Amino acid sequence: MIDVEDDFIVKHVLVHIYNGSGRLVEKGEASIIGDDLFFTYTTQRRNVKWMGGRIEVYAADMACNMVGAEMHLIADPQKTTV
């Protein structure tokens, strides 16, 4: 789930998922389900080499102004297995 806000209306939210080698695993458009204010993206593939990968999210408003954010995927240091 992705919380994206704009002064007016968010029109599109694109998600790119990369594995730990930097290879694009998949990309697609997130959607709003019902009256929810969150965008939801459901993966289509299993990212078995996820550790060290990243997720990029791009949001565009009605005027096609775009902003992006990136999240790096790391293992929880408190866990002994991943």
Side-chain angles (χ1 to χ4, degrees):
M1 294 180 68
I2 307 163
D3 182 11
V4 182
E5 297 179 25
D6 186 68
D7 294 346
F8 188 55
I9 295 174
V10 175
K11 187 173 180 180
H12 297 284
V13 175
L14 302 173
V15 178
H16 294 187
I17 301 173
Y18 296 85
N19 67 17
S21 301
R23 183 173 168 255
L24 180 66
V25 175
E26 68 178 89
K27 64 181 179 178
E29 190 162 343
S31 59
I32 294 180
I33 299 173
D35 294 333
D36 198 354
L37 298 177
F38 292 92
F39 283 81
T40 302
Y41 180 79
T42 303
T43 59
Q44 304 300 309
R45 295 182 171 181
R46 185 173 171 91
N47 187 358
V48 294
K49 296 181 180 179
W50 64 269
M51 192 163 43
R54 70 184 189 280
I55 299 172
E56 297 176 349
V57 178
Y58 301 96
D61 63 10
M62 296 293 284
C64 294
N65 298 311
M66 189 172 279
V67 65
E70 183 176 293
M71 180 179 71
H72 291 266
L73 304 174
I74 59 171
D76 185 345
Q78 302 300 317
K79 293 183 179 180
T80 56
T81 60
V82 178

